[in-house]
Amino acid sequence: MLLLGKIGIGLMGTVLVGGAIASSEGFIHVKVNEKQTNGTHISLIVPAVIMPMAVEFIPRHHLRDASANLQQFMPIIDAAMSGLADCPDGPLVEVLDSDSHVTVVKSGGSIVLDADDPDETVHVAVPLRATQRAIDMIAEANGPS
Amino acid sequence: MKTALSALALLFVTTAVVAAPPEHYLHVKVDGTNTKELVRVNIPLSLAEKVIPAINSGQLRDGKVQMGNFRCDSVDLQAIINAVKAAPDGEFVTVQEPGTNVRVAKERGQMIVHVTDKDNGQKVDVTIPWQVAEALASATHQRELNLEAAIQALDRAGDATLVTVTDNDETVRVWIDSRNSSD
């Protein structure tokens, strides 16, 4: 009984630590709702920590073009990411016309994009820190392996 | 008890004084009267201060804008700005043509430019706080404008409407304040 308890505590600890690691970088949330009948509805929530991990699994030769293109913009991307991380939460961009509405908001360390048009609604939330790490890894893909 | 209250009051006042100044935002609002389109952009100035020096493309390099073919090699732009700053408020330039009025003036420590184009129903108002004009002209080379310094000066200038453009189709407004969203 005591052994079972220890195993239980061990498992619970592992789950807690795993959960803490998984949520440490926040979550990527993608939600798409097509408005027509039988339209697709997708809601995806994944820990942002997998984004840099996923980049690790992409063969380097596939990243070379992206890396070369990114290199020239890295100072701007780094500055923008750092600036966005430090600035307070709030709406950054809003575009409204007769039938669509798009907003880009900084919220709790994430950039949140919402789009609503006659065909679909889209919600994308991406944590800044994980995005920065993934971009850095792609940019470095051209470096020595 | 009195000592504790005094200490608390002192702590409160110190915190209020030491607290970081509020973030200022550069707001751009484009309102299409006929098209019913609305665009709002709210850029934290701290973000602009970081990003602008990082851009090295075209005429923008190291936070400074090259003025292209504009030549003022023998003109001390900074001296002119200082002279205008020292001058009393008043109208500097007034142009009145059929259909077009232009007015450049100094009012309450700000440079004001009004342009009215009656033929196109267009009206442009530009207000430049002095510290921003000085910062723009503070580049080391004569043919550059120091955009980075201007953004920092805007941050210190406080709330102000910088540009208003109104015509028959749309209204554009650019302004600075400490609210994180436009009206």
Side-chain angles (χ1 to χ4, degrees):
Chain A
M1 192 64 182
L2 194 65
L3 183 67
L4 212 61
K6 281 179 181 174
I7 291 171
I9 288 169
L11 274 175
M12 197 184 289
T14 309
V15 168
L16 280 173
V17 170
I21 291 169
S23 60
S24 62
E25 300 266 342
F27 292 89
I28 300 167
H29 188 192
V30 179
K31 194 174 175 185
V32 180
N33 283 322
E34 289 182 345
K35 289 180 180 173
Q36 69 265 33
T37 331
N38 300 325
T40 311
H41 302 278
I42 300 167
S43 185
L44 190 69
I45 299 175
V46 287
V49 75
I50 70 157
M51 195 157 49
M53 284 181 188
V55 174
E56 284 284 3
F57 287 100
I58 303 172
R60 289 212 155 195
H61 64 273
H62 285 308
L63 291 176
R64 259 178 215 141
D65 284 347
S67 173
N69 290 332
L70 264 180
Q71 288 287 352
Q72 57 183 318
F73 298 113
M74 279 315 289
I76 302 172
I77 292 170
D78 285 342
M81 287 291 184
S82 156
L84 279 170
D86 292 343
C87 75
D89 287 1
L92 298 171
V93 180
E94 181 179 16
V95 181
L96 183 71
D97 66 18
S98 53
D99 56 7
S100 63
H101 187 200
V102 177
T103 58
V104 180
V105 176
K106 192 218 162 187
S107 173
S110 291
I111 291 294
V112 182
L113 184 144
D114 279 290
D116 185 2
D117 70 15
D119 297 327
E120 60 193 358
T121 61
V122 177
H123 170 88
V124 179
V126 188
L128 283 165
R129 217 165 60 174
T131 308
Q132 169 82 72
R133 281 182 57 199
I135 291 172
D136 285 345
M137 288 171 73
I138 294 170
E140 284 160 14
N142 252 353
S145 50
Chain B
M1 182 68 180
K2 257 185 181 174
T3 315
L5 276 175
S6 305
L8 267 175
L10 183 67
L11 184 69
F12 178 77
V13 170
T14 313
T15 309
V17 170
V18 174
E23 176 75 70
H24 281 91
Y25 292 82
L26 178 71
H27 301 281
V28 180
K29 183 180 176 187
V30 182
D31 197 346
T33 323
N34 298 326
T35 55
K36 304 288 177 202
E37 283 180 354
L38 177 68
V39 177
R40 288 188 179 119
V41 180
N42 312 303
I43 304 166
L45 285 180
S46 62
L47 174 63
E49 281 172 30
K50 285 185 179 171
V51 172
I52 283 171
I55 301 173
N56 282 303
S57 175
Q59 290 179 304
L60 180 56
R61 304 219 162 249
D62 298 324
K64 297 179 179 73
V65 182
Q66 310 287 322
M67 290 195 284
N69 295 324
F70 177 72
R71 296 187 69 85
C72 56
D73 295 342
S74 52
V75 177
D76 188 343
L77 206 57
Q78 191 66 50
I80 292 175
I81 285 176
N82 288 338
V84 177
K85 186 184 177 187
D89 283 7
E91 306 247 343
F92 292 152
V93 180
T94 308
V95 179
Q96 288 187 317
E97 288 178 348
T100 309
N101 288 346
V102 179
R103 179 175 166 260
V104 180
K106 184 186 172 191
E107 289 175 8
R108 297 184 298 276
Q110 294 177 325
M111 199 72 190
I112 311 278
V113 181
H114 291 291
V115 180
T116 309
D117 183 348
K118 289 171 191 161
D119 296 337
N120 298 317
Q122 196 172 57
K123 202 175 148 207
V124 179
D125 292 316
V126 180
T127 305
I128 308 168
W130 271 116
Q131 57 264 52
V132 177
E134 284 179 303
L136 272 173
S138 67
T140 47
H141 298 291
Q142 293 273 330
R143 291 170 64 184
E144 286 179 342
L145 291 177
N146 194 340
L147 200 57
E148 184 185 0
I151 296 285
Q152 289 164 356
L154 271 176
D155 206 359
R156 295 188 297 270
D159 297 2
T161 296
L162 303 173
V163 180
T164 311
V165 181
T166 312
D167 66 17
N168 298 328
D169 297 323
E170 61 188 17
T171 304
V172 179
R173 188 172 166 234
V174 181
W175 76 102
I176 301 275
D177 66 24
S178 51
R179 295 174 57 195
N180 71 350
S181 62
S182 42
D183 49 358

